C-alpha cells in the first residue's frame, strides 16, 4: 500500500486534544440548553420589583457564562487562529472563569448564611473561604501559558506548574463546605418535620449542591492525579470548562429554588423555632376534702386546632396548584381550591371548638 493520506494539523489531533475538543462540544451544548431552559423563569424573575444581589447575580451568570464559552469555543475550533493571536488571548478563559466562580461562590455564601438563620460563625467561615478563593484565583491567573499546539489545532490555556491547580482547589473547598453545611441543616430539620430523604433532597436542593461538588471533585482528579505526556498535552484542563458551566448552571437553580424573597438570601423551609403544637380544653379535678367531696371544674377556653395538609391520595388541599380559575377543580380529582391562596392566613383549615358545661343538671345529680 502506498503512503497514507497526510491530514492537516487541524484534523490530525493527538488523543487527549481530540478528547478535549469532543468534551468542549458537550460543554457548549449544556451551556446552550441551560440558557434556553431557564429563559421563562428568568423572565419572571426579571419582572419582580426588588433587585437584591442574588437577582443581579442570576442575570449576570446567565449571560456571562454562555458569552465566555462561546468566545473560548471560537478560539478553540477556529483553524485560522494563529499562535501569535493566541499568545494575546489565552488568559481570557482563566480570568473570566475566576470571575464566574467568584460570583457563584458569593451566592453560596449568602444562601448558606441565610439557611443557618444569619449565623455569624457560618458567615465568617464561608466568607473566609470566599476571600481565599478570590485571592488564589487572581494570583494563579498569572501562571497560565499558551499550550504550544500546531497551527489550526486551537488556542488553549494550560498551567505552567502543577501547583496552579489550587486555582480550582480553592473553589472546590468552598463548594465542599457549602454542600456539607446544606446537608447538616437539612438532616437537622428532620427532627422538626420528618419527611422522606427523596422529598428532603428536592425540597432543599441538595441535588444541586451535590452536582456542583461532584463535578469539581472530578476536576481535581484531572488536575492532581492524571499526568500529561508533555507540555503540549492539555489533559489537565479537559474538565475545567464543564466544571465551570455546571457550577454556574446549578447555582442558577439554587437561586431559583430560594424560598421567599431573595433579599438576604431567602429563608429555610423549616424554622428551628417552629414546633408542632395543639391547644385544647382542660379538665382538672381536685382531691376530695375530708368533709365535703367537691369536684372542681375549670371552664375550658375555646380550642383551635390546625389541620395539616394531607396526601393527594386522600384529597389534598393544594394552594400552590390553584391558579384562580374555576376550571382547576375540573382537571384534578381530590384537589380543592382555597380562596385567595396568596394570603398566608388562608393556607390551611382552622377549627374552633367551644365547650359548654351544664352546671344545673350536674348539681341535681
Amino acid at each position: 500500500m502506498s503512503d497514507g493520506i497526510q491530514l492537516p494539523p487541524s484534523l490530525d489531533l493527538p488523543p487527549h486534544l481530540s478528547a478535549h475538543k469532543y468534551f468542549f462540544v458537550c460543554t457548549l451544548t449544556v451551556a446552550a440548553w441551560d440558557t434556553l431552559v431557564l429563559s421563562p423563569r428568568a423572565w419572571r424573575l426579571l419582572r419582580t420589583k426588588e433587585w437584591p444581589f442574588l437577582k443581579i447575580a442570576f442575570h449576570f451568570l446567565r449571560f456571562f457564562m454562555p458569552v465566555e464559552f462561546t468566545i473560548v469555543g471560537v478560539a478553540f475550533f477556529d483553524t485560522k487562529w494563529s499562535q501569535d493571536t493566541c499568545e494575546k488571548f489565552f488568559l481570557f478563559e482563566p480570568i473570566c472563569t475566576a470571575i464566574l466562580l467568584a460570583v457563584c461562590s458569593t451566592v453560596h455564601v449568602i444562601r448558606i448564611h441565610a439557611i443557618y438563620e444569619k449565623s455569624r460563625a457560618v458567615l465568617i467561615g464561608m466568607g473566609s473561604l470566599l476571600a481565599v478563593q478570590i485571592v488564589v484565583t487572581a494570583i494563579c491567573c498569572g501562571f497560565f501559558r499558551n499550550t504550544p499546539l500546531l497551527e489550526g489545532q486551537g488556542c488553549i490555556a494550560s498551567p505552567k506548574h502543577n501547583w496552579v491547580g489550587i486555582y480550582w482547589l480553592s473553589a472546590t473547598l468552598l463548594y465542599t463546605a457549602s454542600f456539607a453545611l446544606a446537608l447538616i441543616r437539612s438532616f437537622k430539620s428532620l427532627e422538626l418535620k420528618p419527611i422522606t430523604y427523596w422529598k428532603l433532597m428536592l425540597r432543599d436542593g441538595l441535588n444541586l449542591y451535590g452536582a456542583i461538588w461532584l463535578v469539581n471533585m472530578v476536576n481535581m482528579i484531572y488536575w492532581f492525579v492524571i499526568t500529561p505526556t508533555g507540555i503540549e498535552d492539555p489533559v489537565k484542563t479537559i474538565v475545567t470548562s464543564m466544571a465551570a458551566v455546571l457550577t454556574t448552571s446549578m447555582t442558577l437553580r439554587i437561586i431559583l429554588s430560594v424560598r421567599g424573597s431573595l433579599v438576604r438570601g431567602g429563608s429555610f423551609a423549616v424554622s428551628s423555632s417552629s414546633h408542632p403544637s395543639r391547644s385544647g380544653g382542660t379538665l382538672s379535678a381536685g382531691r376530695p376534702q375530708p368533709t365535703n367531696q367537691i369536684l372542681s371544674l375549670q371552664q375550658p377556653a375555646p380550642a383551635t386546632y390546625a389541620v395539616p395538609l394531607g396526601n393527594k391520595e386522600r384529597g389534598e388541599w393544594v394552594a400552590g396548584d390553584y391558579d384562580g380559575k374555576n376550571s382547576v377543580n375540573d382537571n384534578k380529582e381530590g384537589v380543592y381550591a382555597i380562596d385567595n391562596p396568596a394570603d398566608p392566613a388562608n393556607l390551611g383549615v382552622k377549627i374552633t371548638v367551644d365547650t359548654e358545661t351544664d352546671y344545673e343538671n350536674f348539681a341535681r345529680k
Side-chain angles (χ1 to χ4, degrees), residues 11 19 73 118 227 248 265 276 363:
L11 298 178
K118 312 302 185 294
T227 304
T248 304

Side-chain angles (χ1 to χ4, degrees), residues 308-326:
L309 302 181
N311 297 339
K312 280 196 175 181
E313 292 144 3
R314 293 177 291 180
E316 180 184 5
W317 293 66
V318 183
D321 293 341
Y322 177 61
D323 58 359
K325 300 179 181 179
N326 294 331

Side-chain angles (χ1 to χ4, degrees), residues 115-116 178-207 209-210 268-270 272:
I115 67 176
Y116 274 86
S178 176
F179 183 35
L181 289 173
L183 280 174
I184 294 171
R185 185 69 180 93
S186 295
F187 284 119
K188 189 176 180 181
S189 70
L190 292 177
E191 300 174 1
L192 301 175
K193 186 178 181 181
I195 58 176
T196 62
Y197 290 139
W198 178 258
K199 291 182 178 180
L200 183 72
M201 180 190 71
L202 297 180
R203 186 196 71 184
D204 297 338
L206 299 179
N207 55 324
Y209 294 97
F268 190 61
V270 179
S272 61

Side-chain angles (χ1 to χ4, degrees), residues 13 15 36 48 57 61 183 287 323 326 347:
L13 303 175
L36 292 175
T48 59
L61 293 173
L183 280 174
R287 291 184 179 180
D323 58 359
N326 294 331
L347 299 182

